Amino acid sequence: AQKVTQAQTEISVVEKEDVTLDCVYETRDTTYYLFWYKQPPSGELVFLIRRNSFDEQNEISGRYSWNFQKSTSSFNFTITASQVVDSAVYFCALSEEDNYGQNFVFGPGTRLSVLP
Amino acid sequence: DTEVTQTPKHLVMGMTNKKSLKCEQHMGHRAMYWYKQKAKKPPELMFVYSYEKLSINESVPSRFSPECPNSSLLNLHLHALQPEDSALYLCASSTDTDTQYFGPGTRLTVL
């Protein structure tokens, strides 16, 4: 069965620090998709990124970057120069091929607090 | 436009009430989902509709009854709920590429 682990339950940093959120996954499929979502206190889950299992290129979007390593089954998320608005719960998620949500599994989440 | 809307934003109901949660998307997505999220936990999948047919029911009690009147709308009918059903209820939709886009949720309190 597929599984997503986010070992960091809570992280606190001071504004402008860099922070990395870890995500480790398990799956038997060769084709799968990995996601990161942000959930601010308002509750809405905001989609950040989707990566398929055949694309190991790292991605950068502004202050956000993602490091996908199949060899270690990890899909880590780094925020550079963190800001107070980055405070939220971040979920890593895994979906296997050709399934409308049947195998869409969330990790337990990491609560990030960015202090001014 | 990646907007999924949900109404109401907040709902307080007694255990004998009947209420409905509504979800709408106009992105042409053919899959829609209901999730339940308790505090400090990840969302848990409840139901999946694919092409307006119920494809997944994750052993949810019958006091929760989903309905998909058309490809843009998804309802969740609530009846005889228990206090432990109090949670954030999230709706999502997706294309066949699996990225799910979520609505803002309905915070439900059962008294």
Side-chain angles (χ1 to χ4, degrees):
Chain A
Q2 61 188 107
K3 184 178 175 182
V4 177
T5 301
Q6 295 178 255
Q8 304 144 311
T9 304
E10 295 191 24
I11 301 176
S12 287
V13 299
V14 176
E15 206 169 17
K16 297 184 183 176
E17 286 185 7
D18 298 347
V19 58
T20 295
L21 310 182
D22 297 333
C23 174
V24 174
Y25 62 92
E26 294 177 27
T27 178
R28 294 181 180 177
D29 275 21
T30 55
T31 302
Y32 52 88
Y33 304 90
L34 295 163
F35 303 82
W36 277 95
Y37 285 87
K38 173 183 179 180
Q39 189 173 39
S42 60
E44 181 172 357
L45 277 163
V46 178
F47 166 70
L48 296 178
I49 189 170
R50 169 182 175 272
R51 173 68 72 219
N52 76 54
S53 52
F54 297 108
D55 182 2
E56 285 195 73
Q57 274 193 330
N58 292 331
E59 181 155 340
I60 298 174
S61 176
R63 296 184 296 106
Y64 295 170
S65 62
W66 291 270
N67 183 285
F68 177 28
Q69 292 194 342
K70 287 180 76 171
S71 60
T72 56
S73 297
S74 64
F75 186 43
N76 296 337
F77 173 29
T78 297
I79 301 175
T80 303
S82 59
Q83 299 177 1
V84 173
V85 293
D86 296 326
S87 298
V89 179
Y90 290 86
F91 291 100
C92 181
L94 168 68
S95 174
E96 293 171 343
E97 188 183 22
D98 294 334
N99 288 306
Y100 276 118
Q102 289 95 313
N103 292 317
F104 197 93
V105 173
F106 284 93
T110 296
R111 181 176 298 275
L112 173 65
S113 298
V114 181
L115 307 174
Chain B
D1 182 10
T2 56
E3 186 175 271
V4 177
T5 59
Q6 288 186 244
T7 55
K9 289 188 178 180
H10 300 274
L11 178 62
V12 179
M13 60 186 291
M15 289 189 285
T16 58
N17 293 157
K18 286 185 180 180
K19 297 287 184 182
S20 296
L21 309 184
K22 297 185 183 301
C23 174
E24 189 168 4
Q25 58 89 13
H26 293 289
M27 296 178 279
H29 292 172
R30 302 312 298 264
M32 296 186 75
Y33 312 78
W34 280 115
Y35 287 86
K36 174 182 178 180
Q37 186 179 23
K38 301 285 277 185
K40 299 190 176 183
K41 296 289 186 182
E44 296 176 6
L45 184 65
M46 299 175 72
F47 302 105
V48 181
Y49 272 83
S50 177
Y51 289 84
E52 300 159 50
K53 292 185 179 178
L54 183 63
S55 61
I56 291 291
N57 176 341
E58 292 286 359
S59 302
V60 179
S62 59
R63 57 186 185 267
F64 295 91
S65 175
E67 179 197 17
C68 189
N70 60 56
S71 60
S72 300
L73 293 173
L74 185 65
N75 299 322
L76 186 62
H77 302 298
L78 314 173
H79 174 55
L81 294 193
Q82 304 297 310
E84 59 265 28
D85 297 321
S86 298
L88 179 67
Y89 288 84
L90 292 161
C91 174
S93 69
S94 73
T95 64
D96 58 0
T97 57
D98 264 11
T99 298
Q100 294 186 22
Y101 295 94
F102 286 81
T106 294
R107 290 194 184 275
L108 174 67
T109 302
V110 182
L111 300 176

